[in-house]
Amino acid sequence: SSSSTMSATPQSTTGSEVAEPRTVEIHPWTPVNGVFVNFKGLDRVSPLSLVGECGALANVQTFRELQAALAITQALFSELELLKNVTPEIAIGENLDVDVTFVVQERKRELSAG
């Protein structure tokens, strides 16, 4: 079993003053408080058509599970063949809630001659 450690700087959303960034060590067993999903770069594809593929992220309880759920989600996105590129951007809040923004590039429409 490999032991990997991620380092994250939580984003503070309280107060108007700029807080000193606080580094938190994130381990595979660190609990996740909740996962919130957004999409950036969608034009023709509706985010509602992609939400079903994000189901693995719904019940994530640790960062190890988050890593596995992201891999499953990206595999499901590629099976849809709607997106050419999908890059997850992850932001971790102070209370260990996770914002996942999928930065996507849509595939061009294929014209089929019939």
Side-chain angles (χ1 to χ4, degrees):
S1 143
S2 66
S3 176
S4 61
T5 303
M6 290 190 287
S7 220
T9 304
Q11 297 175 340
S12 176
T13 56
T14 57
S16 58
E17 72 282 347
V18 176
E20 277 296 309
R22 184 172 60 92
T23 301
V24 176
E25 275 201 12
I26 304 292
H27 299 278
W29 58 87
T30 301
V32 170
N33 198 27
V35 179
F36 304 93
V37 175
N38 296 294
F39 296 94
K40 192 189 296 181
L42 291 178
D43 183 24
R44 293 184 316 271
V45 178
S46 165
L48 295 175
S49 63
L50 301 175
V51 167
E53 277 60 37
C54 299
L57 294 167
N59 300 314
V60 166
Q61 295 186 8
T62 65
F63 279 88
R64 173 176 283 145
E65 290 176 11
L66 175 67
Q67 198 171 11
L70 282 170
I72 291 167
T73 302
Q74 286 194 269
L76 291 171
F77 284 157
S78 70
E79 284 178 18
L80 287 178
E81 297 184 357
L82 294 171
L83 308 171
K84 184 164 58 171
N85 239 345
V86 180
T87 306
E89 290 181 352
I90 298 168
I92 301 166
E94 279 187 37
N95 60 350
L96 296 177
D97 58 338
V98 179
D99 284 318
V100 179
T101 300
F102 289 104
V103 180
V104 302
Q105 189 177 6
E106 295 177 344
R107 286 189 189 274
K108 292 189 171 137
R109 284 192 187 161
E110 302 281 328
L111 294 179
S112 57

